[in-house]
């Protein structure tokens, strides 16, 4: 494999802003200090806070590969920390996403803005499962990626202020469909919107509107907000994939 598959890119575009926002919320909740993990007990502790986790997979720095937890001989698909992640593989089989079904994914080709390609696999996988976000737990030779599956981890709330930053960061990682990235973020928070050509009109909770403007190549250009109350039309929703 050289480059991510179109199906993976589309899924990543749909989920990236949602995941980045949840990661910021998780960072405020979970201290990143000395940590310990017991994967059999599905627990991760950092800074005195313990959360329930599942094992997504791991990234090997030297080999530059992603190994799914279900394909790791130290764990396997029946391991307590792996079982909750198996819906990712099932989705990959249904939608034809090879990154989700290949036991060990070669990412040596990746030279993008993320630290390594494994970060993007973890983002997409964590987005599929939802929940509290994901944790990169470093070890000698790479990082294990854990999905936070714990109701005490707070969900991200709606805030129009960071939308422009979230959208810019998300589309730098998964840049093929910026309108889908925004639409999925708005749908996550049940914020109604309407697409008019190169502009997405957003009807803000509590009144007012915002406009996301895209250029003639479909790239996100700017975010404009007006807090004057306006009537709210019936919302549109964005499907995850066609």
């Amino acid at each position: 494999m050289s480059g991510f598959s179109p199906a993976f890119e589309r899924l990543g575009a749909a989920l990236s802003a949602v995941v980045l926002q949840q990661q910021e919320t998780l960072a405020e909740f979970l201290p990143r200090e000395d940590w310990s993990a017991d994967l059999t007990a599905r627990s991760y502790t950092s800074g005195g806070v313990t959360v329930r986790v599942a094992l997504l997979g791991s990234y090997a720095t030297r080999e530059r590969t992603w190994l799914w937890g279900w394909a790791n001989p130290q764990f396997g698909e029946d391991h307590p920390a792996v079982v909750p992640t198996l819906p990712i593989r099932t989705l990959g089989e249904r939608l034809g996403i090879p990154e989700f079904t290949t036991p060990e994914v070669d990412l040596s080709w990746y030279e993008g803005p993320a630290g390594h390609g494994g970060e993007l696999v973890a983002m997409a996988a964590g987005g599929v499962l939802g929940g509290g976000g994901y944790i990169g737990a470093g070890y000698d030779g790479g990082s294990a990626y854990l999905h936070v599956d714990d109701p005490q981890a707070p969900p991200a709330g709606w805030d129009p202020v960071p939308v422009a930053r979230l959208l810019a960061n998300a589309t730098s990682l998964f840049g093929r469909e910026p309108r889908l990235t925004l639409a999925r973020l708005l749908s996550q928070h049940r914020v109604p919107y309407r697409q008019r050509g190169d502009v997405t009109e957003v009807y803000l909770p509590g009144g007012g509107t915002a406009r996301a403007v895209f250029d003639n190549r479909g790239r996100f250009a700017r975010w404009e907000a007006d807090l004057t109350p306006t009537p709210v039309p019936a919302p549109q929703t964005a499907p995850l994939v066609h």
Side-chain angles (χ1 to χ4, degrees):
M1 181 181 296
S2 179
F4 289 121
S5 67
F8 180 83
E9 287 278 5
R10 180 169 172 76
L11 184 74
L15 295 173
S16 53
V18 173
V19 173
L20 289 178
Q21 185 188 33
Q22 185 59 46
Q23 288 301 107
E24 292 182 358
T25 302
L26 178 64
E28 295 176 357
F29 167 74
L30 185 64
R32 296 309 302 268
E33 300 176 6
D34 290 342
W35 60 272
S36 63
D38 182 342
L39 292 183
T40 300
R42 294 187 58 199
S43 68
Y44 173 94
T45 300
S46 179
V49 177
T50 299
V51 291
R52 185 178 65 195
V53 295
L55 174 63
L56 295 170
S58 57
Y59 179 80
T61 303
R62 185 179 66 182
E63 294 83 359
R64 299 180 70 185
T65 58
W66 170 274
L67 180 66
W68 287 101
W70 50 264
N72 190 321
Q74 297 183 46
F75 299 97
E77 62 184 35
D78 295 327
H79 191 279
V82 173
V83 171
T85 71
L86 295 180
I88 300 167
R89 185 176 64 182
T90 300
L91 181 71
E93 292 168 349
R94 180 166 63 87
L95 299 181
I97 304 174
E99 291 83 356
F100 285 175
T101 59
T102 303
E104 187 169 15
V105 183
D106 178 12
L107 297 169
S108 60
W109 55 268
Y110 182 78
E111 299 293 343
H116 52 74
E119 286 280 355
L120 300 188
V121 176
M123 280 185 63
V128 167
L129 295 178
Y134 68 88
I135 299 165
Y139 61 85
D140 186 21
S143 295
Y145 284 86
L146 310 175
H147 176 251
V148 179
D149 174 21
D150 194 317
Q152 69 174 312
W158 168 250
D159 183 353
V161 174
V163 168
R165 173 176 52 80
L166 286 170
L167 191 55
N169 291 342
T171 55
S172 74
L173 300 173
F174 292 96
R176 288 194 176 187
E177 300 187 56
R179 290 186 183 88
L180 176 60
T181 304
L182 175 61
R184 183 63 181 82
L185 178 65
L186 297 174
S187 296
Q188 175 76 9
H189 297 290
R190 301 182 184 275
V191 176
Y193 66 93
R194 177 173 293 164
Q195 187 70 43
R196 297 180 183 272
D198 292 334
V199 176
T200 300
E201 296 179 350
V202 182
Y203 302 89
L204 301 175
T209 60
R211 301 169 73 248
V213 181
F214 300 86
D215 66 18
N216 57 10
R217 296 177 60 185
R219 298 172 301 187
F220 173 64
R222 63 185 183 276
W223 173 260
E224 304 167 348
D226 179 357
L227 300 182
T228 305
T230 57
V232 179
Q236 296 180 14
T237 57
L240 194 58
V241 293
H242 286 312

